[in-house]
Coordinates of all heavy atoms in Angstrom, one line a residue:
V505 N -1.6 -17.6 -24.8 CA -0.7 -17.8 -23.7 C -1.1 -16.8 -22.6 O -1.2 -17.2 -21.4 CB 0.8 -17.6 -24.1 CG1 1.8 -17.7 -22.9 CG2 1.2 -18.6 -25.2
T506 N -1.2 -15.5 -23.0 CA -1.6 -14.5 -22.0 C -2.8 -13.8 -22.5 O -3.2 -13.8 -23.7 CB -0.5 -13.5 -21.6 OG1 -0.2 -12.8 -22.8 CG2 0.7 -14.2 -21.0
C507 N -3.5 -13.0 -21.6 CA -4.7 -12.3 -22.2 C -4.8 -11.1 -21.3 O -4.1 -10.8 -20.4 CB -5.9 -13.2 -22.0 SG -7.4 -12.5 -22.7
H508 N -5.7 -10.1 -21.6 CA -5.9 -8.9 -20.9 C -6.3 -9.1 -19.5 O -6.3 -8.3 -18.7 CB -6.9 -8.0 -21.7 CG -8.2 -8.8 -21.9 ND1 -9.3 -8.6 -21.0 CD2 -8.7 -9.5 -22.9 CE1 -10.3 -9.4 -21.4 NE2 -10.0 -9.9 -22.5
D509 N -6.8 -10.2 -19.1 CA -7.4 -10.4 -17.8 C -6.5 -11.5 -17.0 O -7.2 -12.4 -16.4 CB -9.0 -10.8 -17.8 CG -9.2 -12.0 -18.7 OD1 -8.2 -12.6 -19.3 OD2 -10.3 -12.5 -18.6
G510 N -5.3 -11.3 -17.0 CA -4.4 -12.2 -16.2 C -3.0 -11.7 -16.3 O -2.7 -10.6 -16.5
F511 N -1.9 -12.5 -16.0 CA -0.6 -12.2 -16.0 C -0.2 -11.8 -17.5 O -0.6 -12.3 -18.4 CB 0.2 -13.3 -15.6 CG 0.5 -13.4 -14.0 CD1 0.8 -14.7 -13.5 CD2 0.4 -12.4 -13.2 CE1 1.0 -14.8 -12.1 CE2 0.5 -12.5 -11.8 CZ 0.9 -13.8 -11.3
T512 N 0.7 -10.7 -17.5 CA 1.4 -10.5 -18.7 C 2.4 -11.6 -18.9 O 2.7 -12.5 -18.1 CB 2.2 -9.2 -18.6 OG1 3.2 -9.3 -17.6 CG2 1.3 -8.0 -18.3
L513 N 3.0 -11.7 -20.1 CA 4.0 -12.8 -20.4 C 5.2 -12.7 -19.5 O 5.6 -13.8 -19.0 CB 4.4 -12.8 -21.9 CG 5.2 -13.9 -22.3 CD1 4.5 -15.3 -22.1 CD2 5.5 -13.8 -23.8
H514 N 5.7 -11.5 -19.3 CA 6.8 -11.4 -18.4 C 6.4 -11.8 -17.0 O 7.2 -12.5 -16.3 CB 7.2 -9.8 -18.3 CG 8.3 -9.6 -17.4 ND1 8.2 -9.3 -16.1 CD2 9.7 -9.4 -17.8 CE1 9.5 -9.0 -15.6 NE2 10.3 -9.2 -16.5
D515 N 5.3 -11.4 -16.5 CA 4.8 -11.9 -15.2 C 4.6 -13.4 -15.0 O 4.8 -13.9 -14.0 CB 3.6 -11.2 -14.7 CG 3.9 -9.6 -14.5 OD1 5.1 -9.3 -14.4 OD2 2.9 -8.9 -14.3
L516 N 4.2 -14.0 -16.1 CA 4.0 -15.4 -16.2 C 5.2 -16.3 -15.8 O 5.2 -17.3 -15.3 CB 3.4 -15.8 -17.6 CG 2.9 -17.2 -17.8 CD1 1.7 -17.5 -16.9 CD2 2.7 -17.5 -19.2
V517 N 6.5 -15.7 -16.3 CA 7.7 -16.3 -16.1 C 8.4 -15.7 -14.9 O 9.6 -16.1 -14.6 CB 8.6 -16.4 -17.4 CG1 7.9 -17.2 -18.4 CG2 9.0 -15.0 -17.7
S518 N 7.8 -14.7 -14.2 CA 8.5 -14.0 -13.0 C 7.8 -14.2 -11.6 O 8.5 -13.9 -10.7 CB 8.6 -12.6 -13.4 OG 9.3 -12.3 -14.5
Y519 N 6.6 -14.7 -11.7 CA 5.9 -14.8 -10.4 C 5.1 -16.1 -10.3 O 4.6 -16.5 -11.3 CB 4.8 -13.6 -10.3 CG 5.4 -12.2 -10.2 CD1 5.6 -11.5 -11.4 CD2 5.7 -11.7 -9.0 CE1 6.2 -10.3 -11.3 CE2 6.3 -10.4 -9.0 CZ 6.5 -9.7 -10.1 OH 7.1 -8.5 -10.1
N520 N 5.2 -16.7 -9.1 CA 4.5 -18.0 -8.9 C 3.0 -17.6 -8.4 O 2.1 -18.4 -8.5 CB 5.2 -18.8 -7.8 CG 6.2 -19.7 -8.5 OD1 6.4 -19.8 -9.7 ND2 7.1 -20.3 -7.7
S521 N 2.9 -16.5 -7.7 CA 1.6 -16.1 -7.2 C 1.3 -14.7 -7.6 O 2.1 -13.9 -7.8 CB 1.5 -16.4 -5.8 OG 2.5 -15.6 -5.1
K522 N 0.0 -14.4 -7.4 CA -0.4 -13.0 -7.8 C 0.0 -12.0 -6.7 O 0.2 -12.5 -5.5 CB -1.9 -12.9 -8.0 CG -2.8 -13.3 -6.8 CD -4.2 -13.2 -7.1 CE -5.0 -13.6 -5.8 NZ -6.4 -13.6 -6.1
H523 N 0.2 -10.8 -7.1 CA 0.6 -9.7 -6.1 C -0.4 -8.5 -6.3 O 0.1 -7.5 -6.9 CB 2.1 -9.3 -6.3 CG 3.0 -10.3 -5.9 ND1 3.5 -10.5 -4.7 CD2 3.4 -11.4 -6.6 CE1 4.3 -11.5 -4.6 NE2 4.3 -12.1 -5.9
N524 N -1.7 -8.7 -5.9 CA -2.7 -7.7 -6.2 C -2.9 -6.7 -5.1 O -4.0 -6.2 -5.0 CB -4.0 -8.4 -6.5 CG -3.8 -9.1 -7.8 OD1 -2.9 -9.1 -8.4 ND2 -4.8 -9.9 -8.1
D525 N -2.0 -6.5 -4.2 CA -2.3 -5.7 -3.0 C -2.6 -4.2 -3.4 O -3.4 -3.6 -2.7 CB -0.9 -5.6 -2.2 CG -0.6 -6.9 -1.6 OD1 -1.5 -7.8 -1.4 OD2 0.6 -7.2 -1.5
A526 N -2.1 -3.7 -4.4 CA -2.5 -2.3 -4.9 C -3.8 -2.1 -5.2 O -4.4 -1.0 -5.2 CB -1.5 -1.9 -6.1
N527 N -4.6 -3.2 -5.4 CA -6.1 -3.1 -5.9 C -7.0 -2.8 -4.7 O -8.1 -2.6 -4.9 CB -6.5 -4.4 -6.5 CG -5.7 -4.6 -7.9 OD1 -5.0 -3.8 -8.3 ND2 -5.9 -5.8 -8.5
G528 N -6.5 -3.1 -3.4 CA -7.3 -2.8 -2.3 C -8.3 -3.8 -1.9 O -9.3 -3.6 -1.2
E529 N -8.1 -4.9 -2.4 CA -9.1 -6.1 -2.3 C -8.4 -7.2 -1.3 O -8.9 -8.3 -1.3 CB -9.4 -6.7 -3.6 CG -10.3 -5.8 -4.5 CD -11.7 -5.5 -4.0 OE1 -12.2 -6.4 -3.4 OE2 -12.2 -4.4 -4.2
Q530 N -7.4 -6.9 -0.8 CA -6.6 -7.9 0.1 C -6.2 -9.2 -0.6 O -6.3 -10.3 -0.1 CB -7.3 -8.2 1.4 CG -7.4 -7.1 2.5 CD -8.4 -6.1 2.1 OE1 -9.5 -6.3 1.6 NE2 -8.1 -4.8 2.3
G531 N -6.0 -9.0 -1.9 CA -5.5 -10.2 -2.7 C -6.7 -11.1 -3.1 O -6.5 -12.3 -3.6
R532 N -8.0 -10.8 -2.9 CA -9.1 -11.7 -3.2 C -9.5 -11.5 -4.8 O -10.2 -12.4 -5.2 CB -10.3 -11.3 -2.5 CG -10.2 -11.5 -0.9 CD -11.5 -11.1 -0.2 NE -11.8 -9.8 -0.5 CZ -11.8 -8.8 0.4 NH1 -11.6 -9.1 1.6 NH2 -12.2 -7.6 0.1
D533 N -9.0 -10.4 -5.4 CA -9.4 -10.2 -6.8 C -8.4 -11.0 -7.7 O -7.3 -11.3 -7.3 CB -9.4 -8.8 -7.2 CG -8.1 -8.1 -6.9 OD1 -7.4 -8.5 -6.0 OD2 -7.8 -7.2 -7.7
G534 N -8.8 -11.3 -8.9 CA -7.9 -11.9 -9.8 C -7.8 -13.4 -9.6 O -8.1 -13.9 -8.6
S535 N -7.5 -14.1 -10.7 CA -7.4 -15.6 -10.6 C -6.3 -16.1 -9.8 O -5.2 -15.5 -9.7 CB -7.2 -16.2 -12.1 OG -7.1 -17.6 -12.0
N536 N -6.6 -17.2 -8.9 CA -5.6 -17.9 -8.2 C -4.9 -18.9 -9.1 O -3.9 -19.6 -8.6 CB -6.1 -18.5 -7.0 CG -6.6 -17.4 -5.9 OD1 -5.9 -16.4 -5.9 ND2 -7.7 -17.5 -5.4
D537 N -5.4 -19.3 -10.2 CA -4.9 -20.4 -11.1 C -4.1 -19.8 -12.2 O -4.6 -19.8 -13.3 CB -6.1 -21.2 -11.6 CG -5.8 -22.4 -12.3 OD1 -4.7 -23.0 -11.9 OD2 -6.5 -22.9 -13.1
N538 N -3.0 -19.4 -12.0 CA -2.1 -18.8 -13.0 C -1.2 -19.7 -13.9 O -0.8 -19.3 -14.9 CB -1.2 -17.7 -12.3 CG -2.1 -16.6 -11.7 OD1 -2.9 -16.0 -12.5 ND2 -1.9 -16.3 -10.6
L539 N -0.9 -20.8 -13.4 CA -0.1 -21.8 -14.0 C 1.3 -21.1 -14.5 O 1.7 -21.3 -15.5 CB -0.7 -22.4 -15.3 CG -2.1 -23.2 -14.9 CD1 -2.7 -23.6 -16.2 CD2 -1.8 -24.2 -14.0
S540 N 1.9 -20.3 -13.5 CA 3.1 -19.6 -13.9 C 4.2 -20.2 -13.1 O 4.1 -21.1 -12.1 CB 2.8 -18.2 -13.3 OG 2.5 -18.1 -11.8
F541 N 5.5 -19.9 -13.5 CA 6.7 -20.3 -12.9 C 7.7 -19.2 -12.8 O 8.0 -18.6 -13.9 CB 7.3 -21.5 -13.6 CG 8.6 -22.0 -13.1 CD1 8.7 -22.5 -11.9 CD2 9.7 -21.9 -14.0 CE1 10.0 -23.0 -11.4 CE2 10.9 -22.4 -13.6 CZ 11.0 -22.9 -12.3
N542 N 8.3 -18.9 -11.7 CA 9.1 -17.8 -11.5 C 10.6 -18.0 -11.8 O 11.4 -17.1 -11.6 CB 9.0 -17.1 -10.1 CG 9.4 -18.0 -9.0 OD1 10.1 -19.1 -9.2 ND2 9.1 -17.6 -7.8
C543 N 10.9 -19.2 -12.2 CA 12.3 -19.6 -12.6 C 13.3 -19.4 -11.5 O 14.4 -19.2 -11.6 CB 12.7 -18.7 -13.8 SG 11.8 -18.9 -15.2
G544 N 12.7 -19.7 -10.2 CA 13.5 -19.7 -9.0 C 13.6 -18.4 -8.2 O 14.1 -18.5 -7.0
V545 N 13.1 -17.3 -8.8 CA 13.1 -16.0 -7.9 C 11.8 -15.3 -8.1 O 11.4 -15.1 -9.3 CB 14.3 -15.1 -8.3 CG1 14.2 -13.8 -7.7 CG2 15.7 -15.7 -8.2
E546 N 11.1 -15.0 -7.1 CA 9.9 -14.3 -7.2 C 10.1 -12.8 -7.6 O 10.7 -12.1 -6.8 CB 9.0 -14.3 -5.8 CG 7.7 -13.9 -5.9 CD 6.7 -14.7 -6.6 OE1 7.1 -15.9 -7.1 OE2 5.5 -14.3 -6.7
G547 N 9.6 -12.4 -8.6 CA 9.6 -11.0 -9.0 C 10.9 -10.5 -9.6 O 11.7 -11.4 -10.3
W548 N 11.3 -9.3 -9.4 CA 12.5 -8.7 -10.0 C 13.8 -9.4 -9.5 O 13.9 -9.8 -8.2 CB 12.5 -7.2 -9.7 CG 13.7 -6.5 -10.4 CD1 13.5 -6.0 -11.6 CD2 15.0 -6.3 -9.9 NE1 14.9 -5.4 -11.9 CE2 15.7 -5.6 -10.9 CE3 15.7 -6.7 -8.7 CZ2 17.1 -5.3 -10.7 CZ3 17.0 -6.2 -8.6 CH2 17.7 -5.7 -9.6
T549 N 14.7 -9.5 -10.4 CA 16.1 -10.0 -10.0 C 17.1 -9.4 -10.9 O 16.8 -9.0 -12.0 CB 16.1 -11.5 -10.1 OG1 17.3 -12.0 -9.6 CG2 15.9 -12.1 -11.5
D550 N 18.4 -9.5 -10.5 CA 19.4 -9.1 -11.3 C 20.4 -10.3 -11.6 O 21.5 -10.2 -12.2 CB 20.2 -8.0 -10.8 CG 20.9 -8.2 -9.4 OD1 20.7 -9.3 -8.8 OD2 21.6 -7.3 -8.8
D551 N 19.9 -11.5 -11.2 CA 20.6 -12.8 -11.5 C 20.6 -13.1 -13.0 O 19.5 -13.4 -13.6 CB 19.9 -14.0 -10.7 CG 20.7 -15.2 -10.8 OD1 21.1 -15.5 -11.9 OD2 20.6 -15.9 -9.7
A552 N 21.8 -13.1 -13.6 CA 21.8 -13.3 -15.1 C 21.3 -14.6 -15.5 O 20.7 -14.7 -16.6 CB 23.4 -13.1 -15.5
E553 N 21.5 -15.7 -14.7 CA 21.0 -16.9 -15.1 C 19.4 -17.0 -15.1 O 18.9 -17.6 -16.0 CB 21.5 -18.0 -14.1 CG 22.1 -19.3 -14.7 CD 22.8 -20.2 -13.7 OE1 23.9 -19.9 -13.2 OE2 22.0 -21.1 -13.3
V554 N 18.9 -16.5 -14.1 CA 17.4 -16.4 -14.0 C 16.9 -15.5 -15.1 O 15.9 -15.9 -15.7 CB 17.0 -15.9 -12.6 CG1 15.4 -15.7 -12.5 CG2 17.4 -16.8 -11.5
L555 N 17.4 -14.4 -15.3 CA 17.0 -13.5 -16.5 C 17.1 -14.2 -17.8 O 16.2 -14.1 -18.7 CB 17.8 -12.2 -16.5 CG 17.5 -11.3 -15.3 CD1 18.5 -10.1 -15.4 CD2 16.1 -10.9 -15.2
A556 N 18.2 -15.0 -18.0 CA 18.3 -15.7 -19.3 C 17.2 -16.8 -19.4 O 16.7 -17.0 -20.5 CB 19.7 -16.3 -19.4
M557 N 16.9 -17.5 -18.4 CA 15.9 -18.5 -18.4 C 14.5 -17.9 -18.6 O 13.7 -18.5 -19.4 CB 15.9 -19.3 -17.1 CG 14.8 -20.4 -17.0 SD 14.7 -21.2 -15.3 CE 15.2 -22.8 -15.9
R558 N 14.3 -16.7 -18.0 CA 13.0 -16.1 -18.3 C 12.9 -15.6 -19.7 O 11.8 -15.8 -20.3 CB 12.9 -14.8 -17.4 CG 12.6 -15.3 -15.9 CD 12.5 -14.2 -15.0 NE 12.2 -14.5 -13.6 CZ 12.2 -13.7 -12.6 NH1 12.4 -12.3 -12.8 NH2 12.0 -14.1 -11.4
L559 N 13.9 -15.1 -20.3 CA 13.9 -14.6 -21.8 C 13.7 -15.8 -22.6 O 12.8 -15.7 -23.5 CB 15.2 -13.9 -22.0 CG 15.3 -13.4 -23.5 CD1 14.1 -12.4 -23.9 CD2 16.7 -12.7 -23.7
R560 N 14.3 -16.9 -22.3 CA 14.1 -18.1 -23.2 C 12.8 -18.6 -23.1 O 12.1 -19.0 -24.1 CB 15.1 -19.2 -22.7 CG 15.2 -20.4 -23.6 CD 16.4 -21.3 -23.2 NE 16.4 -21.7 -21.8 CZ 17.4 -21.3 -21.0 NH1 18.4 -20.6 -21.4 NH2 17.4 -21.7 -19.8
Q561 N 12.1 -18.6 -21.8 CA 10.7 -19.1 -21.7 C 9.8 -18.1 -22.5 O 8.8 -18.6 -23.0 CB 10.4 -19.1 -20.2 CG 11.1 -20.1 -19.4 CD 10.5 -21.5 -19.8 OE1 10.7 -22.0 -20.9 NE2 9.9 -22.1 -18.9
R562 N 10.0 -16.8 -22.4 CA 9.1 -15.9 -23.2 C 9.2 -16.2 -24.6 O 8.3 -16.1 -25.4 CB 9.6 -14.4 -22.8 CG 9.0 -14.0 -21.4 CD 9.4 -12.7 -21.0 NE 9.7 -11.7 -22.1 CZ 10.7 -10.7 -22.0 NH1 11.5 -10.6 -20.9 NH2 10.8 -9.9 -23.1
K563 N 10.5 -16.4 -25.1 CA 10.7 -16.7 -26.6 C 9.9 -18.0 -26.9 O 9.3 -18.1 -28.0 CB 12.1 -16.8 -26.9 CG 12.8 -15.4 -26.9 CD 14.3 -15.5 -27.3 CE 15.0 -14.3 -27.4 NZ 16.5 -14.4 -27.7
N564 N 10.1 -19.0 -26.0 CA 9.4 -20.3 -26.3 C 7.8 -20.1 -26.4 O 7.1 -20.6 -27.2 CB 9.6 -21.3 -25.2 CG 11.2 -21.8 -25.3 OD1 11.8 -21.7 -26.3 ND2 11.6 -22.3 -24.2
F565 N 7.3 -19.2 -25.5 CA 5.9 -19.1 -25.5 C 5.4 -18.3 -26.7 O 4.4 -18.6 -27.3 CB 5.4 -18.3 -24.3 CG 5.3 -19.0 -23.0 CD1 5.9 -18.6 -21.8 CD2 4.5 -20.1 -23.0 CE1 5.8 -19.5 -20.7 CE2 4.2 -21.0 -21.8 CZ 5.0 -20.5 -20.6
H566 N 6.2 -17.3 -27.2 CA 5.9 -16.6 -28.4 C 6.1 -17.5 -29.7 O 5.1 -17.4 -30.4 CB 6.9 -15.4 -28.6 CG 6.6 -14.1 -28.0 ND1 5.5 -13.4 -28.4 CD2 7.1 -13.4 -27.0 CE1 5.3 -12.4 -27.6 NE2 6.3 -12.3 -26.8
L567 N 7.1 -18.5 -29.6 CA 7.1 -19.2 -30.8 C 5.8 -20.3 -30.8 O 5.2 -20.5 -31.9 CB 8.4 -20.1 -30.7 CG 8.5 -21.2 -31.8 CD1 8.6 -20.5 -33.2 CD2 9.7 -22.1 -31.5
A568 N 5.5 -20.8 -29.6 CA 4.3 -21.7 -29.6 C 3.1 -20.9 -30.1 O 2.3 -21.6 -30.8 CB 4.1 -22.3 -28.2
L569 N 2.9 -19.7 -29.7 CA 1.7 -19.1 -30.1 C 1.8 -18.8 -31.6 O 0.7 -18.9 -32.3 CB 1.7 -17.6 -29.4 CG 0.6 -16.7 -29.7 CD1 -0.7 -17.3 -29.4 CD2 0.7 -15.4 -29.0
M570 N 2.9 -18.4 -32.2 CA 3.0 -18.1 -33.6 C 2.8 -19.3 -34.5 O 2.3 -19.1 -35.6 CB 4.3 -17.4 -33.9 CG 4.4 -16.0 -33.4 SD 3.0 -15.0 -33.8 CE 2.8 -13.9 -32.4
V571 N 3.1 -20.5 -34.1 CA 3.0 -21.7 -34.9 C 1.7 -22.4 -34.6 O 1.4 -23.5 -35.3 CB 4.3 -22.7 -34.8 CG1 5.6 -21.9 -35.1 CG2 4.4 -23.2 -33.3
S572 N 1.0 -22.0 -33.7 CA -0.3 -22.6 -33.5 C -1.2 -22.3 -34.6 O -1.2 -21.3 -35.3 CB -0.8 -22.3 -32.0 OG -1.0 -20.9 -32.0
Q573 N -2.4 -23.1 -34.6 CA -3.5 -22.9 -35.6 C -4.2 -21.6 -35.2 O -4.4 -21.4 -34.1 CB -4.3 -24.1 -35.8 CG -3.7 -25.2 -36.4 CD -4.5 -26.3 -36.7 OE1 -5.7 -26.5 -36.0 NE2 -4.2 -27.1 -37.6
G574 N -4.8 -21.0 -36.2 CA -5.6 -19.9 -35.9 C -4.9 -18.6 -35.8 O -3.7 -18.5 -36.1
T575 N -5.7 -17.6 -35.6 CA -5.1 -16.2 -35.5 C -4.6 -16.0 -34.1 O -5.2 -16.0 -33.1 CB -6.3 -15.1 -35.7 OG1 -6.8 -15.3 -37.0 CG2 -5.6 -13.8 -35.7
P576 N -3.2 -15.6 -34.0 CA -2.7 -15.4 -32.7 C -3.2 -14.1 -32.0 O -3.4 -13.2 -32.6 CB -1.2 -15.4 -33.0 CG -1.1 -15.0 -34.4 CD -2.3 -15.5 -35.1
M577 N -3.5 -14.2 -30.7 CA -3.8 -13.0 -30.0 C -2.6 -12.7 -29.0 O -2.3 -13.5 -28.2 CB -5.1 -13.2 -29.1 CG -5.6 -12.0 -28.4 SD -6.9 -12.3 -27.4 CE -6.2 -12.6 -25.8
V578 N -2.0 -11.5 -29.3 CA -0.8 -11.1 -28.6 C -1.3 -9.9 -27.6 O -1.6 -8.9 -28.2 CB 0.4 -10.8 -29.4 CG1 1.6 -10.2 -28.7 CG2 0.7 -11.9 -30.3
L579 N -1.0 -10.1 -26.4 CA -1.3 -8.9 -25.5 C -0.3 -7.8 -25.7 O 1.0 -8.1 -25.7 CB -1.2 -9.4 -24.0 CG -1.4 -8.4 -22.9 CD1 -2.8 -7.8 -23.1 CD2 -1.2 -9.0 -21.6
M580 N -0.8 -6.6 -26.0 CA 0.2 -5.6 -26.3 C 1.2 -5.3 -25.3 O 0.9 -5.3 -24.0 CB -0.7 -4.2 -26.5 CG 0.2 -3.0 -26.9 SD -0.8 -1.6 -27.3 CE -1.1 -1.0 -25.6
G581 N 2.5 -5.3 -25.7 CA 3.6 -5.1 -24.7 C 4.4 -6.4 -24.3 O 5.4 -6.4 -23.9
D582 N 3.8 -7.5 -24.6 CA 4.4 -8.8 -24.3 C 5.6 -9.0 -25.1 O 6.6 -9.6 -24.6 CB 3.4 -10.0 -24.5 CG 2.5 -10.3 -23.3 OD1 2.8 -9.8 -22.2 OD2 1.6 -11.1 -23.4
E583 N 5.6 -8.5 -26.3 CA 6.9 -8.6 -27.1 C 8.0 -7.8 -26.6 O 9.1 -8.1 -26.8 CB 6.5 -8.3 -28.5 CG 6.3 -6.8 -28.8 CD 4.9 -6.4 -28.5 OE1 4.1 -7.1 -27.9 OE2 4.5 -5.2 -29.0
Y584 N 7.7 -6.9 -25.6 CA 8.8 -6.1 -25.1 C 9.0 -6.4 -23.6 O 9.8 -5.8 -22.9 CB 8.4 -4.6 -25.2 CG 8.4 -4.1 -26.6 CD1 7.1 -3.8 -27.2 CD2 9.5 -4.0 -27.4 CE1 6.9 -3.4 -28.5 CE2 9.4 -3.6 -28.7 CZ 8.1 -3.3 -29.3 OH 8.0 -2.8 -30.5
G585 N 8.2 -7.2 -23.0 CA 8.5 -7.7 -21.6 C 7.8 -6.8 -20.7 O 8.3 -6.6 -19.5
R586 N 6.6 -6.2 -21.1 CA 5.8 -5.4 -20.2 C 5.4 -6.2 -19.0 O 5.0 -7.3 -19.0 CB 4.6 -4.9 -20.9 CG 3.7 -4.0 -20.1 CD 2.5 -3.5 -20.9 NE 1.5 -4.6 -21.0 CZ 0.5 -4.8 -20.1 NH1 0.5 -4.1 -19.1 NH2 -0.3 -5.8 -20.3
T587 N 5.4 -5.5 -17.8 CA 5.1 -6.2 -16.5 C 4.0 -5.3 -15.7 O 4.0 -4.2 -15.9 CB 6.4 -6.4 -15.7 OG1 5.9 -7.0 -14.5 CG2 7.0 -5.1 -15.3
C588 N 3.2 -6.0 -15.1 CA 2.3 -5.5 -14.0 C 2.7 -5.8 -12.7 O 2.0 -5.6 -11.7 CB 0.8 -5.9 -14.4 SG 0.1 -5.2 -15.8
E589 N 4.0 -6.2 -12.6 CA 4.6 -6.6 -11.3 C 3.8 -7.5 -10.5 O 3.7 -7.4 -9.3 CB 5.0 -5.2 -10.5 CG 5.8 -4.3 -11.2 CD 6.1 -2.9 -10.5 OE1 5.3 -2.7 -9.6 OE2 6.9 -2.2 -11.1
G590 N 3.4 -8.5 -11.1 CA 2.5 -9.7 -10.5 C 1.1 -9.5 -10.3 O 0.5 -10.3 -9.7
N591 N 0.7 -8.2 -10.6 CA -0.8 -8.0 -10.5 C -1.5 -8.6 -11.6 O -1.4 -8.1 -12.8 CB -1.0 -6.4 -10.3 CG -2.5 -6.1 -10.0 OD1 -3.4 -6.9 -10.2 ND2 -2.6 -4.9 -9.5
N592 N -2.3 -9.6 -11.4 CA -3.1 -10.3 -12.5 C -4.4 -9.8 -12.7 O -5.3 -10.3 -13.4 CB -3.1 -11.7 -12.4 CG -3.9 -12.2 -11.3 OD1 -4.5 -11.5 -10.5 ND2 -4.0 -13.6 -11.1
N593 N -4.7 -8.6 -12.1 CA -6.1 -8.0 -12.3 C -6.0 -6.5 -12.3 O -6.7 -5.7 -11.7 CB -7.0 -8.4 -11.1 CG -8.4 -8.1 -11.4 OD1 -8.9 -8.2 -12.6 ND2 -9.2 -7.8 -10.3
A594 N -4.9 -6.0 -13.1 CA -4.6 -4.6 -13.1 C -5.5 -4.0 -14.3 O -5.9 -4.5 -15.2 CB -3.2 -4.4 -13.6

């Protein structure tokens, strides 16, 4: 679902587009094809409904990964909701 060279799982359900400004490349680095969905709010929010939807989506992705064939590859920190704040090339 996620990998070391893209969005974290938390960012996958929190950002529609990359936010790589800190890298100094004017957003040219990192993939533009993230297939992500921010659940209605880009980035951080305190909206309980959006947070519940994001948590549900993360759990769904984890379940799909665990029941798929083969050895699952889990990006360290995804199980805890680690974020790179939308930077998909950190």
